[in-house]
Amino acid sequence: MASNTGKIEKLVRKLLIELGEDPDREGLVKTPHRVAAALEFLTSGSRIDPVTVINDAIFTQKTNSMVIVKNIEVYSLCEHHMLPFFGRCHIGYVPSGRVFGLSKLARLVDMYARRLQLQERLTEQISQAVMKAIDATGVGVMIEARHLCMMMRGVEKQNSVMVTSSVLGTFRESIATREEFLALIGNRST
Ligand SMILES: [Zn+2]
């Protein structure tokens, strides 16, 4: 699964030529190298094992009150255009004896965001990973994001925000739990 920087650089150089550019002009000389490094970083999540990201940051805690972490920044690449989509992710869960270290949820989001993605799938993957990692009673994830593939190409209005959510366990079964989640994250989806 490891990517090959040298090969990607050559491909980017070819791409520049196909786009009618001169890859040897001053501003572009280092571009293939920069693009290769950026793409490798932005897709690095697909080459990381989620278990290693999560394992050392789960703590035992006797609580079954809802935990909310909101406004986690999300930067990802849409798999249809390889253009960025970005926004915020809100995660709520009801623990059953184990909780996440705070920074780990952000790392989990990064790991799933740093790959070619669909916002819907990203939302699902995060909720399922949280559910599985701590055997939660329920999980809710909401992502609000803007997609440059729509904004820059004028396909949608400039300010449109795509909202996706994924609810599991009690968040799916109980309207009260779901409403508590939406109230706590401020329900800015409207
Ligand atoms: Zn797209």
Side-chain angles (χ1 to χ4, degrees):
M1 281 286 271
S3 58
N4 183 325
T5 312
K7 274 190 190 165
I8 297 170
E9 282 180 35
K10 287 198 184 87
L11 289 167
V12 174
R13 188 183 156 84
K14 276 189 194 162
L15 179 63
L16 288 170
I17 294 166
E18 290 302 324
L19 291 171
E21 279 288 355
D22 169 12
D24 295 315
R25 72 178 169 87
E26 194 183 352
L28 291 180
V29 170
K30 290 181 178 168
T31 297
H33 176 70
R34 292 192 193 101
V35 172
L39 282 177
E40 286 190 316
F41 176 74
L42 296 175
T43 60
S44 59
S46 55
R47 296 180 290 276
I48 294 173
D49 176 6
V51 176
T52 61
V53 171
I54 298 167
N55 263 357
D56 59 334
I58 291 170
F59 306 102
T60 304
Q61 196 168 340
K62 278 192 180 164
T63 174
N64 49 17
S65 303
M66 189 180 293
V67 177
I68 297 278
V69 181
K70 57 183 184 179
N71 294 324
I72 300 170
E73 287 180 50
V74 176
Y75 296 95
S76 190
L77 288 176
C78 93
E79 68 181 17
H80 296 147
H81 304 91
M82 292 177 71
L83 286 171
F85 66 93
F86 59 97
R88 291 175 187 277
C89 175
H90 316 293
I91 301 174
Y93 64 90
V94 175
S96 64
R98 288 185 294 172
V99 297
F100 272 95
L102 194 60
S103 65
K104 278 297 156 148
L105 282 177
R107 282 207 58 200
L108 189 75
V109 170
D110 280 343
M111 190 201 60
Y112 285 110
R114 284 181 193 148
R115 53 183 76 184
L116 299 183
Q117 269 291 12
L118 294 172
Q119 185 177 330
E120 297 89 333
R121 187 169 65 224
L122 175 61
T123 314
E124 291 270 331
Q125 284 175 333
I126 294 166
S127 67
Q128 281 165 10
V130 171
M131 189 79 175
K132 195 173 154 203
I134 56 169
D135 195 22
T137 307
V139 177
V141 175
M142 180 189 281
I143 295 178
E144 303 167 285
R146 289 162 196 261
H147 291 245
L148 287 187
C149 61
M150 292 195 287
M151 296 168 72
M152 293 179 79
R153 297 186 311 146
V155 178
E156 293 281 331
K157 288 201 170 66
Q158 295 293 305
N159 290 315
S160 64
V161 175
M162 182 169 169
V163 181
T164 48
S165 69
S166 170
V167 287
L168 300 172
T170 46
F171 281 62
R172 179 179 285 273
E173 293 144 18
S174 159
I175 293 170
T177 305
R178 207 156 59 233
E179 282 181 348
E180 185 185 349
F181 170 61
L182 291 174
L184 285 168
I185 65 171
N187 193 18
R188 281 150 306 164
S189 60
T190 50

